[in-house]
């Protein structure tokens, strides 16, 4: 996590850095800071809390300069505090901003202390500042680019772990160093100015031309030039810079505004009908044919040759994968495994022949998912497919096939429209797999599935009308500390997602169980102080689920059931039913996710939490 931004320009870069930080705040928001070089002085300001707090500070103390770096933090090493906020300095000559984790920071810290360096923070990043200062002093000579690069390369070679870096040095008032290893970084190209940032979004107010650094790239930029080198390559003094393409960002400057909504999360929940429509656009022809070629070259042959699916993802995206497993196995008739990326990447994986690797990620920058993808590329999979919401993200660029969700920027930390659009994209993939095999246990035709998918936005609109009733229900959670979520079949992962949403933004402990598992342990928790939320569409498993609900009621548990019109479940003492429109079994997981999002949102309002920026979390998880 953490967001970094930097600039080398003829104009004062402070406003550019501040605007960049605001746009990167989704990556972390516990503190922020910036360092500038002007008139031979290295100046720094840092503040705890949101970027707005740094901005107020700078209103009082106007810092100006043509070269600068800035950072918004999500704490890994050391608590959120002013001392731990970036940039970190060394010898009042070097300033460093860093996104990532330096795994060998402890031995480096010991070594640097022995050399006489004093540490002022608990961060892993501060070792980079001192190490670079030391390397620069060792690389004697004039204050040239060659000396800077030599010292930089030497510093990078000592680091284990992940980093995106921006560094400035007091003797180089027009040079900005940057490097990428395991954390994203782009260079923005302006007119007689250059920038760096963790995400192009941070720079769209100043440029739409970007160079995406490859893993292991490092280099130096000035207003007029960019020189990049590879860590794998020879010493920069003995080699020519590498060439990386300049890519035009073609998705517009989609700075999301809250509009009349109180929170981004609420806006994003209400945007779902539109986001679902946009997800289907370009994927289905007017005649209802699936346009599989949008996945990438030779997609049709690859789908036809696929015999098995391996899905890897994290958090909410993992829940989307779990739902898809039910679809892929029952509709396309293909075996499907789903695993969280942080486990998959460190497991000895046996890859069955003709397995398609599918990575799901809203951001496309999640460190564990990216690491799993990079492993998969050399592990013998048939192909790698990214299902992603962010064009140009590392996941999209590094996968052989891609399926975009087109939900538009998601700003609220709790994922909502990204989840339901992932589900729709996965249903589309299921249909594509089924039709490429022209067989499968389910007799649903492709045109039937397409019709179902097209009906989705309208159904979600109807569910959104339940909001006042859900808001009313949420008041019952005001004094609750624990909640159970239950579901069966594909609604078990929907229940998992509902529980994740609730704990993320209301801080209520929420657990999800497959309803059939209740009597194997969790039933012991149920009493009249425990709300039990159930996802109960009218599918083949409803009768089984009803028996599980009886078990809860018999122990005094308070049931809140999300049901379909035709469920035949009576409300009564301790039982509240919220009735959703009639929906097919296939679409039910998408539809039933929406009221759970609304429930979490309104419980969070009741609890008075910071809905869009819940404590301890960040939107993009670029560290493992
Ligand atoms: C929860 C949430 C997270 C993300 C997870 C993966 O609301 O948003 O659990 O789903 O961090 O992120 P992506 O999808 O960007 O890889």
């Amino acid at each position: 996590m953490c967001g970094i931004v930097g600039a080398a320009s003829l104009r004062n870069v402070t406003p550019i850095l501040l605007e960049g930080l605001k746009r990167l705040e989704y990556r972390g928001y516990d503190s922020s800071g910036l360092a500038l070089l002007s008139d031979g002085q290295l100046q720094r300001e840092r503040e705890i809390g949101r970027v707005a707090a740094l901005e107020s500070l700078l209103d009082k103390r106007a810092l100006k300069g043509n070269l600068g770096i800035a950072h918004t933090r999500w704490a890994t090493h050391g608590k959120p505090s002013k001392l731990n906020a970036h940039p970190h300095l060394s010898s009042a000559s070097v300033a460093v901003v860093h996104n990532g984790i330096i795994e060998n920071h402890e031995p480096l810290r010991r070594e640097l202390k022995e050399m006489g360096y004093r540490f002022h923070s608990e961060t892993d990043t501060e070792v980079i500042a001192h190490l670079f200062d030391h390397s620069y002093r060792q690389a004697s000579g004039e204050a040239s680019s060659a000396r800077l690069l030599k010292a930089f390369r030497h510093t990078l070679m000592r680091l284990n772990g992940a980093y995106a870096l921006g560094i400035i040095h007091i003797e180089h008032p027009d040079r900005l160093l940057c490097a990428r290893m395991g954390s994203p970084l782009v260079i923005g190209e302006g007119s007689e100015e250059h920038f760096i940032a963790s995400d192009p979004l941070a720079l769209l107010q100043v440029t739409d031309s970007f160079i995406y650094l490859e893993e292991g790239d490092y280099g130096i930029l000035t207003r007029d030039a960019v020189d990049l080198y590879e860590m794998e390559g020879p010493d920069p003094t003995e080699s020519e810079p590498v060439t990386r393409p300049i890519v035009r960002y073609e998705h517009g400057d989609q700075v999301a505004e809250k509009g009349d909504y109180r929170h981004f999360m609420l806006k994003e929940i209400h945007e779902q009908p539109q986001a679902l429509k946009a997800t289907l656009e370009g994927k289905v022809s007017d005649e209802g044919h699936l346009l599989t070629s949008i996945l990438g070259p030779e997609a049709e042959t690859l789908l036809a040759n696929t015999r098995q699916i391996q899905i890897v993802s994290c958090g909410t995206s993992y829940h989307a994968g779990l739902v898809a497993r039910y679809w892929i196995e029952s509709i396309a008739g293909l075996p499907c495994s789903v695993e969280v990326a942080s486990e998959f990447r460190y497991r000895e994986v046996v890859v069955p022949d003709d397995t398609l690797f599918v990575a799901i990620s809203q951001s496309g920058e999640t460190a564990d998912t990216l690491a799993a993808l990079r492993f998969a590329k050399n592990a013998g999979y048939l192909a790698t497919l990214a299902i992603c919401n962010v064009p140009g993200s590392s996941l999209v660029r590094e996968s052989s096939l891609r399926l975009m969700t087109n939900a538009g920027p998601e700003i609220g930390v709790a994922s909502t429209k990204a989840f339901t659009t992932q589900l729709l994209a996965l249903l589309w993939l299921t249909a594509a797999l089924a039709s490429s095999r022209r067989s499968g246990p389910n007799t649903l035709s492709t045109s039937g599935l397409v019709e179902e998918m097209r009906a989705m936005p309208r159904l979600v609109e109807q569910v959104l009308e339940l909001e006042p009733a859900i808001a009313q229900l949420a008041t019952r959670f005001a004094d609750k500390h624990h909640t159970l979520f239950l579901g069966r079949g594909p609604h078990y992962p929907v229940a998992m997602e509902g529980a994740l949403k609730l704990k993320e933004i209301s801080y209520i402990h929420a657990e999800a169980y497959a309803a059939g598992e209740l009597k194997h342990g969790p039933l012991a928790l149920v009493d009249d102080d425990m709300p039990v939320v159930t996802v109960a569409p009218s599918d083949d498993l409803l009768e089984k689920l009803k028996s599980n609900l009886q078990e809860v009621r018999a122990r005094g548990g308070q049931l809140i059931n999300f049901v379909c019109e035709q469920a035949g479940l009576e409300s009564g003492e301790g039982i509240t039913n919220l009735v959703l429109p009639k929906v097919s079994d296939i679409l039910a997981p998408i539809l039933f996710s929406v009221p759970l999002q609304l429930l979490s949102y309104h419980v969070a309002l009741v609890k008075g939490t910071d809905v869009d920026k819940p404590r301890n979390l960040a939107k993009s998880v670029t560290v493992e």
Side-chain angles (χ1 to χ4, degrees), residues 192-314:
E192 287 190 74
E193 50 188 3
H194 281 108
F195 314 96
I196 57 168
S198 303
D199 181 336
L201 205 68
L203 298 174
L204 290 176
Q205 82 278 17
V206 281
T207 184
D208 62 358
S209 299
F210 294 97
I211 297 169
Y212 290 86
L213 266 67
E214 304 272 330
E215 284 294 277
D217 280 358
Y218 70 101
I220 194 161
L221 35 122
T222 60
R223 288 193 299 272
D224 320 302
V226 174
D227 285 341
L228 290 176
Y229 301 86
E230 291 168 324
M231 280 304 286
E232 297 280 291
D235 192 280
T237 52
E238 293 160 16
S239 62
E240 288 297 307
V242 291
T243 312
R244 299 278 177 243
I246 297 175
V247 179
R248 178 130 309 170
Y249 190 89
E250 285 170 347
H251 316 287
D253 187 0
Q254 304 174 305
V255 180
E257 303 285 349
K258 273 204 292 260
D260 291 336
Y261 288 95
R262 188 160 162 197
H263 294 101
F264 277 109
M265 182 181 176
L266 186 62
K267 175 171 178 257
E268 287 155 9
I269 290 173
H270 281 271
E271 278 172 353
Q272 288 177 109
Q274 179 48 39
L276 289 162
K277 247 185 238 157
T279 300
L280 264 193
E281 254 162 44
K283 296 186 178 71
V284 178
S285 73
D286 290 347
E287 298 76 37
H289 300 304
L290 302 174
L291 303 171
T292 43
S293 58
I294 56 141
L295 292 173
E298 295 173 42
E300 247 158 73
T301 320
L302 283 168
L303 291 181
N305 290 339
T306 297
R307 294 282 161 270
Q308 184 147 341
I309 307 285
Q310 173 69 60
I311 296 178
V312 173
S313 42
C314 302

Side-chain angles (χ1 to χ4, degrees), residues 314-317 361-363 366 413-415 422 500-501 504 621:
C314 302
T316 290
S317 300
S361 172
Q362 186 282 130
S363 62
T366 301
V413 163
S415 198
Q422 281 169 352
L500 178 66
K501 282 298 81 93
E504 266 185 298
V621 186

Side-chain angles (χ1 to χ4, degrees), residues 507-551:
Y507 316 148
I508 293 178
H509 172 220
E511 296 265 9
Y513 275 93
E517 276 292 293
L518 204 57
K519 54 190 163 299
H520 298 291
L523 201 54
L525 296 171
V526 172
D527 60 18
D528 59 8
D529 204 29
M530 168 75 94
V532 179
V533 178
T534 71
V535 189
S538 300
D539 60 11
D540 293 351
L541 295 169
L542 182 64
E543 290 311 314
K544 305 265 175 224
L545 184 67
K546 281 182 184 169
S547 313
N548 304 135
L549 303 191
Q550 294 294 342
E551 294 157 10

Side-chain angles (χ1 to χ4, degrees), residues 1 313-319 360-367 369 387-388 390 395 410 412-416 418 422 497 500-501 504-505 617-621:
M1 290 94 129
S313 42
C314 302
T316 290
S317 300
Y318 168 64
H319 296 153
I360 311 171
S361 172
Q362 186 282 130
S363 62
E365 300 293 352
T366 301
T369 310
I387 298 186
C388 192
V390 180
L395 198 78
E410 192 181 61
V413 163
S415 198
T416 52
Q422 281 169 352
E497 174 58 10
L500 178 66
K501 282 298 81 93
E504 266 185 298
I505 58 167
L617 300 178
K619 185 74 187 158
S620 184
V621 186

Side-chain angles (χ1 to χ4, degrees), residues 356-399:
L356 177 67
F357 179 90
V358 179
I360 311 171
S361 172
Q362 186 282 130
S363 62
E365 300 293 352
T366 301
D368 285 321
T369 310
L370 268 175
L373 170 73
R374 287 173 186 151
F375 159 80
K377 283 165 78 170
N378 299 311
Y381 287 96
L382 188 63
T384 54
L385 166 64
I387 298 186
C388 192
N389 193 39
V390 180
S393 61
S394 303
L395 198 78
V396 170
R397 285 181 292 114
E398 295 182 29
S399 299

